[in-house]
Amino acid sequence: MTDETRPTEGRTPSDFPGSQGRPEFLPADEHPEQPGWGAETTSFGLWSDPSGRSAGTEIPGPLGPPERPYGAASYGDDPGARAPYGDPSGPQPTQASFGDPSGPQHAQGGFGDPSGPQPTRAYESPFFGTSAGPPPYGGEVPPPPPRSALGMGPGWAPPPGPPGAATARRGPSVGLMVVLAVVIALVASTLGSVGTYLLTRSGNGTDPSYSLGPAPSGAVNRAPDSVAGVASRVLPSVVSLEVGNGSNTEGATGSGFLIKNGYVVTNNHVVAMAAKGGEIRIMFNNRKTTTARIVGRDPGSDLAVVKPEETFGTPEITLGNSDQVVVGDPVIAVGSPLGLSGTVTTGIVSSLNRPVIAGDESGTSAEEPAYISAIQTDAAINPGNSGGPLVNGKGEVVGVNSAIATLSRSLGSQSGSIGLGFAIPVNQARRVAEELVTTGKAKRPKIGIVLDRDYKGEGVRITTDRVDGRQPVDANGPAAKAGLKEGDILVEIDGLRLQDGNELIALVRSKAPGSQITVKYLRNGEERTATLTVTADDEPVATPS
């Protein structure tokens, strides 16, 4: 090759500072049969054995003995070795160098000599020969390295890794994959939000694919002690009442509840209009209606009992014990406020023994006012709730809704709830209902004294004057038997400090005839204690006692 600078001495590939151009080609070895380029046994010095072994010799390794690198100066140590091409110090081949036109030509024309006779055999690659023996001299031989490649020898390949190290290329780490996944998710979420915004901001803001999804499904059962559970048991026993006065000019509405044997308990002021010849119609929770008649009523306690013509299989309600009620207990009011049947409201017991007067206190009314030692509740009670039950957390009736407090009241209008509702204790309602069903009228508890309405001091004072011909203390009455006298000041009953006479009357009316009460009173500034047994009048009296 005449277009390259040849080194004067052989060097290992690692000695070359950079690419040296095309690889060096050595002359082919002489062959007795078919010398020249197209011979089957033709081989290049680049792939020949530096030890001088001929083609077909088995070489222990892909490129010959590793201890003799290509171009090493030690080639002269072996007599049979041949210096690499370009080394003038070694023995030269007797045949002209490959491609050298100055040397003797091959019988069929040297490669690169177009003037000589051309070979008649097809061109055969020197790298994929068909001669016998293993590569690189026989069989299929790998092609030479590309142009400008560095020399080949023990040091030409990249240095091997540590023993046992994997040679396969490693993929991305798990941490990198996690980071990429998070980034992709964030980008996708952002693009989705932007897309949604772009879709909905245009036009009138409608989205044909918009959906809120199906309603959640699941069990609808409620705990028996929940408000829903209690209401489901109580509502079937609650009724609505519509009362007329017979002339179709006035009417009243209210509520009630069914007790034993098909009787309905309600307020006296709900059915009082029907006592003059009006009609009572009852609607049950199942929306069935029937007429009813008054069994008995007690204006003094504002209680009444009516009997419907038909109950349609309505269950009776369970009565509780109002003496076990304490402030803070949860309660539920059920009724028909403003004609809205089946209404349920909740609250707590706000106070006990709250004195409430329902009716006309002036005495101009044909009926006496009702004095109630009421259960106070913040459960909403409105007009139309009157006569309905107030139940505890077990669904037991503890009171009969009867009155509400209002901030103001204008003529011809009704006021709503302000969170102050009052119910008659069920123990009192139980006793009165029994008396009305059995006798048609209720007894009036009393202790046999007349109160001084003009007294403004502490407690309640027994008057010292006759009132309407009645003595201040009834002879042989409960107070007289306990030693009370006119002018004594009652300050406490059963541990409850008295505020005024209305509270004393309400407390006595709430007691059953025959029950005993303990009274503390002052006489000439000295505090004394007495025990009284409550009695009852068969007929109402004009002046409460």
Side-chain angles (χ1 to χ4, degrees), residues 37 115 127 146 183 217 316 354 401 432 462 480:
W37 171 252
S115 63
F127 309 110
V183 171
S217 60
E316 64 184 62
R354 183 72 70 192
N401 300 321
V432 172
I462 301 175

Side-chain angles (χ1 to χ4, degrees), residues 229-317:
V230 172
S232 65
R233 300 194 305 272
V234 173
L235 278 171
S237 303
V238 181
V239 300
S240 299
L241 289 84
E242 294 182 359
V243 181
N245 62 357
S247 61
N248 295 325
T249 58
E250 294 181 357
T253 61
S255 305
F257 53 90
L258 198 72
I259 59 173
K260 184 178 178 181
N261 294 339
Y263 292 99
V264 172
V265 174
T266 186
N267 283 137
N268 174 69
H269 71 263
V270 171
V271 298
M273 191 176 296
K276 302 175 182 178
E279 180 185 47
I280 301 175
R281 293 196 65 82
I282 293 180
M283 183 174 70
F284 292 84
N285 188 62
N286 57 12
R287 303 299 178 89
K288 295 182 178 181
T289 61
T290 186
T291 57
R293 58 183 176 83
I294 296 176
V295 175
R297 59 192 187 95
D298 179 28
S301 62
D302 195 23
L303 290 169
V305 174
V306 299
K307 178 72 172 180
E309 299 296 331
E310 179 63 55
T311 61
F312 307 104
T314 301
E316 64 184 62
I317 204 165

